Amino acid sequence: QVQLVESGGGLVQAGGSLRLSCADSGRTFDNYHMGWFRQAPGKERDFVAGISWSGGTTFYADSVKGRFTISRDNAKNTVYLQMNSLKLEDAAVYYCAGGRFLSSDSKEYYYWGQGTPVTVSS
């Protein structure tokens, strides 16, 4: 089965940038739509960004639009989330996920990574 592993999280100052990666360690995931989600302590897991299997379609949560960019490199079985102009509200554990449908609903995804934490300081 597809096995997703996130990396790139860490501590960053507000206004700074981080680039998250999510790699499939097992097999090619060219035909999976991919999404990034995040979950802050005591909060629900929220949609952040999604990308179609080809990379031709992307969409974002309003809270990150214009600051975050999702992309993928199918040759490397990897999806990325470039996060710029980070805010305190962006602090969360970030998860990547794969599914058959391009959606902002976490229920539509069935492959999940373990998460990588992002901490934003003032």
Side-chain angles (χ1 to χ4, degrees):
Q1 299 264 50
V2 173
Q3 186 173 13
L4 303 177
V5 180
E6 302 98 333
S7 63
L11 174 64
V12 65
Q13 190 174 19
S17 299
L18 282 176
R19 185 178 178 88
L20 306 183
S21 299
C22 174
D24 175 12
S25 63
R27 53 188 283 177
T28 301
F29 64 19
D30 298 44
N31 290 326
Y32 294 108
H33 303 300
M34 299 295 296
W36 284 97
F37 294 78
R38 66 188 182 187
Q39 187 167 22
K43 303 292 185 179
E44 295 182 344
R45 185 170 298 187
D46 293 329
F47 170 77
V48 176
I51 188 167
S52 62
W53 68 268
S54 67
T57 301
T58 60
F59 64 109
Y60 301 87
D62 289 340
S63 59
V64 306
K65 192 175 299 182
R67 299 187 297 119
F68 291 10
T69 303
I70 187 171
S71 62
R72 67 190 299 164
D73 186 341
N74 289 342
K76 297 181 179 179
N77 292 343
T78 302
V79 62
Y80 305 95
L81 184 68
Q82 178 66 47
M83 305 185 295
N84 298 328
S85 301
L86 282 161
K87 303 176 180 179
L88 293 176
E89 65 191 37
D90 296 319
V93 177
Y94 283 71
Y95 301 87
C96 68
R100 293 280 184 164
F101 302 98
L102 187 60
S103 176
S104 60
D105 187 350
S106 63
K107 300 294 185 181
E108 298 292 340
Y109 296 84
Y110 46 85
Y111 295 120
W112 290 86
Q114 83 288 351
T116 186
V118 173
T119 302
V120 183
S121 67
S122 60

